[in-house]
Amino acid sequence: MARIHFPKDFVWGTATASYQIEGAYQEDGRGLSIWDTFSHTPGKVVNNDNGNVACDSYHRYEEDVALLKKLGVKAYRFSIAWPRIFPNGTGEVNEKGLAYYTKVVDALLAAGIEPCVTLYHWDLPQALQDKGGWDNRDTIQAFVKYAEVIFKAFDGKIKQWITFNETWCVSFLSNYIGAHAPGNTDLQLAVNVAHHCMVAHGEAVKIFRELGVQGEIGTTHNLSWLEPYSTSPEDQAAAHRHRAYTNEWFMEPTFKGSYPQFMVDWFKSKGAEVPVLPGDMETISQKIDFIGVNYYSGGFGRYKKDEGLFDCEQVQLGFDKTYMDWNVYPDGLYKVLSWVHEEYGDTPIYITENGACYEDTLTAENKVHDVLRTAYYRKHFIQCERLIESGVPLKGYFAWSLLDNFEWAEGYLKRFGIVYTNYETLERHPKDSYYFIQDVIRNNGFEA
């Protein structure tokens, strides 16, 4: 039996996001976010669920830190809710919001856990959306001011910073596909939003450097891996376009200061142009200390005229599926991170999210035997070791998610947690996957 092992300094962690777990949506001066508006709009979220209470982590953060400590993680990735700091997006700082995150950070540090903070995990203040949101370049400066306040408040306490989580979701999923807040369906708008978010990222990196903040800063992109179904030029090109939609469109500007020209041309053929102003690309490509990658799935695609935006249809090859109907494709993790390393060099990589959604049953003994989720983690951990053995600078892994939580447009129907949340009592119950990961962390490996 093969032994899977990891370097001694490998960072094991788990992750959450503010709107998904905190609740307390009207407490201590918090303003409304676009997700409050979206989830309170009938028909936008499964069962008309919302994040008003969520996991109530705003009041139960100490319980959650205790779960993290018991798990044995070195780091915890969470996000700060912009509307808690600036209820109207700009203006006066809400000191009660800062005080809450100070308590969370201090509790983590006291438990020996490093906080890894995401500045923007989708909860844009509604007041800014009312002025155009990320389509309005003024939002860039509002974000930079918000970031500056957070950098100054937590300099020395937080050593790892992520500017944005999944800019593809913020832009295309939310403003072209329309599945997430604010729910628009406009390709040009989505292209604008993607570009402005990336400029905001670059401006935040600039201010981080100017302030001399301790620690490291990067960003997180959600990458997937779509293989061409055949060697035909049509299939190769179709799969590449679809892959570039989530991958190159965001990675090329981040690392090389340019958009892939074939994608610029393709979007232009669909009526959308990138709103680049002088200096934008230099700003976007500010040197970062690490890149975060969220990976969940992949598959195979082939050419089919007028199929979606890219003339590409996905072909099912008998993959196992999660409850999200996503392919279980561990080899895709190896392929996509190998590609990142080959294409963009030796920048350290963290898997900032990876995990699986399955239907969970809480037993009478308050146990959850999530065999499929545990197997999912096991398979992806093996790919992590393959990557490290292959020379890819993979430095850490954050499991998604610590808790079952508000799963965006899926509401509370879909569970990703390694800890079961009873939404009636808000009690937490570690699942078998939690104990598996605990054991992996304790031994820095496992028998495959």
Side-chain angles (χ1 to χ4, degrees):
M1 186 176 285
R3 175 76 183 169
I4 303 300
H5 65 278
F6 294 87
K8 288 183 178 179
D9 60 351
F10 192 76
V11 176
W12 291 103
T14 186
T16 60
S18 50
Y19 189 75
Q20 293 183 271
I21 68 165
E22 286 180 0
Y25 86 112
Q26 289 183 311
E27 285 192 44
D28 292 337
R30 178 188 180 274
L32 294 180
S33 76
I34 56 174
W35 269 97
D36 294 297
T37 302
F38 190 78
S39 66
H40 291 168
T41 303
K44 294 296 186 182
V45 174
V46 171
N47 296 323
N48 291 317
D49 291 337
N50 58 56
N52 293 4
V53 176
C55 304
D56 195 34
S57 287
Y58 191 80
H59 301 112
R60 297 169 178 259
Y61 70 90
E62 291 174 309
E63 189 177 343
D64 296 337
V65 171
L67 283 165
L68 290 162
K69 185 174 182 179
K70 182 181 175 184
L71 182 61
V73 293
K74 294 180 182 178
Y76 174 52
R77 177 181 174 232
F78 65 99
S79 72
I80 289 176
W82 187 348
R84 289 202 191 279
I85 310 304
F86 287 100
N88 295 308
T90 58
E92 293 296 314
V93 173
N94 176 28
E95 294 296 339
K96 288 184 178 179
L98 279 178
Y100 166 68
Y101 291 110
T102 299
K103 289 188 293 185
V104 173
V105 169
D106 288 349
L108 289 166
L109 293 174
I113 299 166
E114 287 292 332
C116 171
V117 165
T118 303
L119 290 170
Y120 187 74
H121 202 131
W122 308 356
D123 41 4
L124 182 71
Q126 181 61 42
L128 293 181
Q129 183 63 37
D130 293 342
K131 299 175 183 177
W134 287 111
D135 191 36
N136 182 348
R137 286 187 71 109
D138 289 347
T139 302
I140 296 171
Q141 290 311 311
F143 176 76
V144 173
K145 178 60 180 175
Y146 154 64
E148 181 179 0
V149 166
I150 301 300
F151 289 151
K152 288 178 177 177
F154 295 101
D155 187 11
K157 286 187 174 183
I158 296 170
K159 303 291 180 61
Q160 191 170 43
W161 299 89
I162 293 169
T163 54
F164 279 74
N165 179 75
E166 300 185 344
T167 311
W168 179 87
C169 291
V170 178
S171 53
F172 291 103
L173 184 62
S174 304
N175 289 285
Y176 170 62
I177 298 170
H180 282 186
N184 298 310
T185 52
D186 183 321
L187 181 60
Q188 181 63 67
L189 176 60
V191 170
N192 293 354
V193 168
H195 181 69
H196 294 160
C197 285
M198 287 194 283
V199 174
H201 151 76
E203 293 288 2
V205 174
K206 281 185 184 178
I207 199 74
F208 181 89
R209 305 289 186 212
E210 289 169 12
L211 292 171
V213 180
Q214 298 177 52
E216 299 180 331
I217 192 166
T219 191
T220 282
H221 295 313
N222 55 304
L223 306 184
S224 60
W225 194 255
L226 196 71
E227 292 272 356
Y229 182 69
S230 77
T231 58
S232 77
E234 294 82 5
D235 284 1
Q236 297 276 329
H240 191 198
R241 283 192 298 271
H242 200 285
R243 194 168 65 239
Y245 176 46
T246 55
N247 297 7
E248 282 100 317
W249 191 255
F250 299 94
M251 296 290 282
E252 290 284 309
T254 300
F255 284 99
K256 297 184 178 180
S258 61
Y259 287 99
Q261 190 59 47
F262 78 99
M263 289 294 287
V264 171
D265 296 341
W266 187 267
F267 280 134
K268 190 172 183 179
S269 76
K270 302 295 182 180
E273 297 192 49
V274 192
V276 179
L277 295 185
D280 279 359
M281 302 315 294
E282 291 82 0
T283 296
I284 292 171
S285 58
Q286 293 293 303
K287 181 173 173 54
I288 53 178
D289 301 307
F290 65 91
I291 183 70
V293 174
N294 294 353
Y295 174 85
Y296 289 96
S297 186
F300 287 76
R302 68 180 172 191
Y303 174 76
K304 184 178 181 182
K305 186 170 175 57
D306 298 327
E307 178 71 22
L309 187 59
F310 301 105
D311 295 352
C312 180
E313 70 168 353
Q314 296 201 35
V315 185
Q316 295 305 319
L317 298 184
F319 286 105
D320 291 336
K321 300 275 193 174
T322 69
Y323 190 38
M324 293 290 287
D325 201 35
W326 296 347
N327 295 334
V328 178
Y329 187 28
D331 197 45
L333 176 63
Y334 180 83
K335 290 178 178 179
V336 75
L337 293 192
S338 295
W339 169 78
V340 169
H341 181 226
E342 290 164 10
E343 197 68 27
Y344 304 111
D346 290 329
T347 299
I349 300 169
Y350 289 86
I351 296 170
T352 39
E353 289 180 25
N354 177 240
C357 172
Y358 291 104
E359 294 182 272
D360 294 320
T361 302
L362 188 66
T363 71
E365 296 79 30
N366 290 327
K367 306 289 186 183
V368 177
H369 303 303
D370 55 340
V371 175
L372 293 175
R373 184 178 293 105
T374 301
Y376 181 99
Y377 280 118
R378 179 183 291 271
K379 291 171 184 176
H380 286 78
F381 291 171
I382 292 170
Q383 299 300 325
C384 290
E385 192 209 39
R386 281 186 72 202
L387 286 158
I388 294 166
E389 292 289 315
S390 299
V392 175
L394 178 61
K395 302 300 183 182
Y397 177 104
F398 292 79
W400 184 271
S401 175
L402 173 65
L403 302 169
D404 293 332
N405 54 50
F406 178 78
E407 186 46 45
W408 306 114
E410 300 294 336
Y412 296 103
L413 179 66
K414 303 293 176 71
R415 295 175 178 269
F416 275 88
I418 57 173
V419 174
Y420 184 94
T421 303
N422 182 325
Y423 293 118
E424 293 182 3
T425 66
L426 296 174
E427 290 177 305
R428 282 91 155 114
H429 303 287
K431 304 176 187 179
D432 286 357
S433 57
Y434 173 99
Y435 292 111
F436 168 69
I437 293 173
Q438 181 188 59
D439 192 60
V440 172
I441 294 172
R442 184 184 296 121
N443 297 301
N444 217 23
F446 60 100
E447 301 296 328

